[in-house]
Amino acid sequence: MRTTIKDIANYTGFSVTTISLVLNNKADKIPRSTKNKILDAVEELNYHPNQLAVGLVKKRTQTIGLIISDVSNVFFSTLAKGVEDSCRSQGWNLILCNTNDKHERDMSYIQVLANKGIDGILFCMARDSDKKKTEESIQLLKKLKIPFVMIDRYLEEADCSSVIVDHKQGGYAAVKYLLGHGHRKIGCVTGPSGLEDSMERLKGYKKALEEYHISFRDEFIYEGNYDRESGAGAVDFFEGKEISAVFAFNDMSAYGVYNSLKKRGISVPGGMSLIGYDDIFFSEILDVPLTTVKQPIYEMGVESVKQLIDEVESGVGARKCIVFQPALIVRESVGYGPAYDPDVESFKENTFFR
Amino acid sequence: MRTTIKDIANYTGFSVTTISLVLNNKADKIPRSTKNKILDAVEELNYHPNQLAVGLVKKRTQTIGLIISDVSNVFFSTLAKGVEDSCRSQGWNLILCNTNDKHERDMSYIQVLANKGIDGILFCMARDSDKKKTEESIQLLKKLKIPFVMIDRYLEEADCSSVIVDHKQGGYAAVKYLLGHGHRKIGCVTGPSGLEDSMERLKGYKKALEEYHISFRDEFIYEGNYDRESGAGAVDFFEGKEISAVFAFNDMSAYGVYNSLKKRGISVPGGMSLIGYDDIFFSEILDVPLTTVKQPIYEMGVESVKQLIDEVESGVGARKCIVFQPALIVRESVGYGPAYDPDVESFKENTFFR
DNA sequence: CTGTTAGCGCTTTCAG
DNA sequence: CTGAAAGCGCTAACAG
């Protein structure tokens, strides 16, 4: 049997209250001598409070849940690392939940976590969530009165804190960079059209185009699914459209584009310029290191934990929206496009756009 | 306030005992009618038992801990996915613990998990663990009477179950394949010499060499650290040694070798054959898809959970050692070596060695 | 300064 | 068949 607080009481001759008091640093009025005796006994008997019991009465477990679709996905595992590191450094623990992007699992995990008495949830909603499902999740969270912060998604209606990245800016930066290199016909491999982050990147794309007075063309937009196959599909789709650069909305589909291009004997950046999004660590070590838009995922994990714990401890829903700025990481997959003219000032300026 | 069992009691007019009985399927002698009334009330009031309270009395939480060094490492995130999937399918939960390969964190997490009442631990020991530290961890686990299964490490003395892969066989398969392709001077980029898995792969290397009556040469062995830098270091180390193939003990260092080779203008497999270990998913999509030894990591995660839950539920430490066989995944990074002669029967036979 | 007491929400004998 | 009561290990008024 584990040592309990009673054992310490018996051993020292003091009451459980006294023990509890000194262990919880509420022992202002307890003499050093008593304290020391107790602390010694704790050490000697190797006493560690049963956190289930503590949680039951304190209604706090110093544990949060992380709901994501899939840890084996680099994006999420990086996030999870940030989250876990941040938790540990503050003495908290992390329950990991994978939903495989199924809304029903979001729902069931929220309930399970609540039953376990977690103090808060870091919530990356499943991708299959439409408006109604999203609302359903939020409703549940609220009904259960669980503090939560949404990651990678901001919802006006949600009335909660979120940690997001400015994807419109990311898309804008990528496309502007391409334009600055003389590309005019730029293909896009988007994510699922239902996803806000994809839509935002597209907005960024449009914004950059507008700045250059180039009209938006639907036939340059391929709706992908954030996977490698999407990249291959896009290459087929772009065929014959004289595109000189493609902006893939994540690195995975950029790889798909790259591989598919290679099979057709088209080189990067010689035959086609390519820019990705995410900066997954492999992007750097590819044969043609990928120019891409980096999301500070790890930092987002760290930050979201801070925010969540803050809300838990203060007891107030801060409703704060922390937005991270993505950064363009220039490597070697973008070359100059047909419109490039080294003598034009605007190009010079844009070459080092960041 | 959440609905409690008392609320259900009040609402239905039955006692808490009765409620508890039907909720725990121990209601053999309770009439359907009562049961239904209770179940209806549960539904209506949306009652979910507080698992902290349940855990406190049952001394079971249906939760296990996973101690690994770093989820953001693909190897571990794949493992974690297997573990989590397996947990969920059995209605269990997972607490994730990253140690960054620090033994002290192994120790502290073990204690923390114990305090939280987890039912078992999946333990990937930190890499900095020498014999003494290892023993210390095991001792703690035993003192705490926590069922645990070790992953990727087998210890005679540990007297516990483990899930491992036959690394000697993996190393053997890789090197035999290389030998079969006519390579005779084969460089090795090992892992840290203290690690058993690295040592095992090396044993496999030696075994294959012996079969070909080739004597082992120390100058072909470069002790790396399982990272990309190791690969680069190895290439320096091998310089001028007329090596025609290198066997890197993990994919990461293989990439390092590949990149470093490329910088020197040496192609793979033209100028040098290369074989890795792990089959991280990126290995397949590299420019020169990497021939490598695949570890069934996900499956190991799934299996280890099964084993652990089994032990928890049966209450007996099974002390079972589940060994997974690695598989050689042939792709394009290995060519023929100087000793290759298409007319020699043994080569033909070995070309398709698996 | 320290102890008594009453729970937290649940399970589980033990009666009836 | 159902309920009363004890107790899991701990905290927190409230006394004294």
Side-chain angles (χ1 to χ4, degrees):
Chain A
M1 216 45 248
R2 276 177 65 117
T3 318
T4 73
I5 200 169
K6 268 188 197 163
D7 297 327
I8 305 289
N10 290 333
Y11 189 82
T12 57
F14 295 104
S15 77
V16 278
T17 313
T18 312
I19 316 293
S20 176
L21 251 26
V22 342
L23 256 33
N24 289 290
N25 288 317
K26 295 186 177 168
D28 312 328
K29 325 204 152 172
I30 289 172
R32 276 238 79 73
S33 65
T34 307
K35 252 187 226 179
N36 286 141
K37 271 180 211 156
I38 291 177
L39 261 12
D40 286 350
V42 163
E43 189 77 7
E44 223 164 301
L45 302 190
N46 207 278
Y47 169 67
H48 294 271
N50 177 330
Q51 296 304 138
L52 288 176
V54 174
L56 187 55
V57 26
K58 280 204 188 164
K59 273 134 186 37
R60 284 292 221 70
T61 52
Q62 307 263 108
T63 304
I64 63 172
L66 172 66
I67 301 183
I68 57 182
S69 72
D70 178 2
V71 240
S72 69
N73 173 318
V74 205
F75 180 93
F76 290 114
S77 68
T78 307
L79 180 76
K81 183 75 190 328
V83 168
E84 212 273 341
D85 280 356
S86 186
C87 278
R88 193 184 34 68
S89 75
Q90 313 199 38
W92 285 57
N93 292 109
L94 210 220
I95 296 187
L96 180 68
C97 309
N98 287 193
T99 63
N100 275 89
D101 279 320
K102 301 232 176 37
H103 167 70
E104 38 174 298
R105 287 210 202 150
D106 274 356
M107 295 295 283
S108 97
Y109 266 130
I110 290 173
Q111 185 65 59
V112 167
L113 289 171
N115 302 343
K116 280 194 157 327
I118 47 85
D119 298 329
I121 289 181
L122 255 25
F123 190 30
C124 291
M125 218 180 302
R127 275 205 191 139
D128 76 342
S129 301
D130 51 32
K131 191 112 190 162
K132 206 178 114 223
K133 289 177 178 170
T134 300
E135 242 165 53
E136 203 186 5
S137 303
I138 307 284
Q139 280 312 317
L140 183 55
L141 252 359
K142 300 225 154 157
K143 200 184 71 189
L144 263 18
K145 296 206 176 36
I146 303 176
F148 66 103
V149 354
M150 309 232 2
I151 295 181
D152 213 29
R153 192 128 176 211
Y154 172 71
L155 284 167
E156 191 66 58
E157 328 82 81
D159 187 40
C160 67
S161 287
S162 35
V163 172
I164 60 174
V165 354
D166 185 347
H167 292 302
K168 180 171 176 189
Q169 174 58 31
Y172 173 75
V175 177
K176 184 138 182 206
Y177 180 75
L178 253 15
L179 289 164
H181 275 63
H183 296 283
R184 290 297 175 265
K185 296 186 174 176
I186 301 171
C188 262
V189 188
T190 75
S193 67
L195 293 184
E196 206 178 353
D197 58 88
S198 176
M199 292 297 92
E200 288 298 309
R201 290 168 216 193
L202 193 59
K203 279 185 200 160
Y205 170 89
K206 288 180 182 167
K207 180 181 164 197
L209 245 42
E210 274 165 25
E211 270 185 24
Y212 274 72
H213 309 292
I214 297 173
S215 53
F216 176 81
R217 292 225 246 150
D218 226 27
E219 75 254 41
F220 288 173
I221 310 299
Y222 177 81
E223 182 179 336
N225 197 29
Y226 283 151
D227 54 14
R228 277 206 295 146
E229 290 69 46
S230 301
V235 172
D236 290 341
F237 180 78
F238 293 147
E239 179 125 51
K241 292 182 182 162
E242 294 180 340
I243 276 170
S244 69
V246 357
F247 171 30
F249 281 19
N250 76 336
D251 283 358
M252 250 359 226
S253 50
Y255 301 153
V257 170
Y258 176 78
N259 286 146
S260 178
L261 246 22
K262 199 177 143 200
K263 274 189 199 130
R264 294 167 186 245
I266 301 171
S267 70
V268 170
M272 179 80 81
S273 285
L274 180 60
I275 196 161
Y277 204 107
D278 276 351
D279 196 29
I280 275 172
F281 81 111
F282 275 89
S283 300
E284 182 187 351
I285 67 182
L286 287 177
D287 259 35
V288 177
L290 188 69
T291 290
T292 189
V293 178
K294 181 190 179 71
Q295 304 193 53
I297 312 176
Y298 180 90
E299 291 74 17
M300 287 170 65
V302 172
E303 196 53 38
S304 56
V305 170
K306 270 193 204 148
Q307 182 60 33
L308 184 57
I309 293 188
D310 230 57
E311 293 188 21
V312 170
E313 305 207 310
S314 71
V316 307
R319 221 176 155 337
K320 206 156 108 186
C321 181
I322 302 168
V323 10
F324 279 80
Q325 287 305 323
L328 185 71
I329 305 293
V330 175
R331 287 199 272 255
E332 301 167 23
S333 63
V334 173
Y336 291 106
Y340 181 70
D341 179 344
D343 294 333
V344 175
E345 203 53 42
S346 71
F347 285 116
K348 284 181 190 149
E349 165 193 319
N350 275 302
T351 303
F352 298 103
F353 173 85
R354 164 80 163 66
Chain B
M1 215 50 245
R2 277 176 63 117
T3 321
T4 73
I5 199 171
K6 267 189 197 162
D7 298 328
I8 307 288
N10 289 334
Y11 189 81
T12 58
F14 294 104
S15 77
V16 276
T17 314
T18 311
I19 316 293
S20 175
L21 252 26
V22 343
L23 255 32
N24 289 289
N25 289 318
K26 295 188 177 165
D28 314 326
K29 324 204 153 170
I30 289 173
R32 275 238 78 73
S33 65
T34 307
K35 252 187 227 179
N36 287 143
K37 272 180 211 155
I38 291 176
L39 262 11
D40 286 351
V42 163
E43 189 76 9
E44 224 163 299
L45 302 191
N46 206 277
Y47 169 67
H48 294 270
N50 177 331
Q51 295 306 137
L52 287 175
V54 174
L56 187 56
V57 23
K58 281 203 184 163
K59 271 132 185 39
R60 285 292 220 70
T61 52
Q62 307 262 104
T63 303
I64 64 173
L66 172 66
I67 300 182
I68 58 183
S69 72
D70 178 2
V71 240
S72 68
N73 173 318
V74 205
F75 179 92
F76 290 113
S77 67
T78 309
L79 181 77
K81 182 76 189 326
V83 168
E84 212 273 343
D85 280 356
S86 186
C87 279
R88 194 184 33 68
S89 75
Q90 313 198 39
W92 285 57
N93 292 111
L94 210 220
I95 296 187
L96 180 67
C97 308
N98 286 193
T99 64
N100 276 90
D101 278 321
K102 300 235 176 34
H103 166 70
E104 37 173 300
R105 286 210 203 150
D106 274 356
M107 296 295 284
S108 95
Y109 266 130
I110 291 173
Q111 185 66 60
V112 167
L113 289 171
N115 301 343
K116 279 194 160 322
I118 48 84
D119 297 329
I121 288 180
L122 255 25
F123 190 29
C124 290
M125 216 179 303
R127 274 201 192 144
D128 76 343
S129 301
D130 51 32
K131 191 114 191 161
K132 207 178 111 222
K133 288 177 178 169
T134 301
E135 242 164 52
E136 204 186 2
S137 304
I138 308 284
Q139 280 312 318
L140 183 56
L141 253 359
K142 300 226 154 154
K143 199 184 72 189
L144 263 16
K145 296 207 175 37
I146 303 176
F148 66 103
V149 354
M150 309 231 4
I151 295 182
D152 212 29
R153 192 127 176 212
Y154 172 71
L155 284 168
E156 192 65 59
E157 327 83 79
D159 186 40
C160 67
S161 287
S162 34
V163 172
I164 59 174
V165 357
D166 186 347
H167 292 302
K168 181 173 175 186
Q169 174 58 32
Y172 173 77
V175 177
K176 186 139 180 204
Y177 180 74
L178 254 13
L179 289 163
H181 275 62
H183 297 283
R184 290 298 174 264
K185 295 185 174 175
I186 301 172
C188 264
V189 188
T190 75
S193 67
L195 293 185
E196 207 179 354
D197 58 87
S198 176
M199 293 295 91
E200 288 298 310
R201 289 168 216 194
L202 193 59
K203 279 187 200 160
Y205 170 87
K206 288 179 182 169
K207 181 181 163 197
L209 246 42
E210 273 165 28
E211 269 185 25
Y212 274 72
H213 309 293
I214 297 172
S215 53
F216 176 81
R217 291 223 248 153
D218 226 26
E219 76 255 41
F220 288 174
I221 309 300
Y222 177 81
E223 182 178 336
N225 195 29
Y226 283 151
D227 54 15
R228 278 205 295 147
E229 290 69 47
S230 302
V235 171
D236 291 340
F237 180 78
F238 293 148
E239 178 125 51
K241 291 182 182 163
E242 294 180 341
I243 277 170
S244 70
V246 357
F247 171 30
F249 281 18
N250 77 336
D251 283 358
M252 250 357 225
S253 50
Y255 301 152
V257 169
Y258 176 78
N259 285 147
S260 178
L261 246 23
K262 197 177 145 203
K263 274 188 199 133
R264 295 166 185 247
I266 301 171
S267 69
V268 171
M272 179 80 81
S273 285
L274 179 60
I275 195 163
Y277 203 106
D278 277 352
D279 195 29
I280 275 172
F281 82 112
F282 275 89
S283 301
E284 181 187 351
I285 66 181
L286 287 177
D287 259 32
V288 178
L290 189 68
T291 291
T292 190
V293 177
K294 181 191 180 70
Q295 305 192 53
I297 312 176
Y298 180 90
E299 292 73 17
M300 288 170 66
V302 172
E303 195 55 37
S304 56
V305 171
K306 270 192 205 148
Q307 182 60 32
L308 184 58
I309 292 186
D310 229 59
E311 294 188 22
V312 171
E313 304 206 310
S314 71
V316 306
R319 222 177 155 334
K320 206 156 107 187
C321 182
I322 302 169
V323 10
F324 279 80
Q325 288 304 323
L328 186 71
I329 305 294
V330 175
R331 288 200 271 255
E332 300 167 26
S333 64
V334 173
Y336 292 107
Y340 180 70
D341 179 345
D343 294 334
V344 174
E345 203 53 42
S346 71
F347 284 115
K348 285 182 190 149
E349 168 193 319
N350 274 300
T351 302
F352 299 103
F353 172 85
R354 165 74 163 68

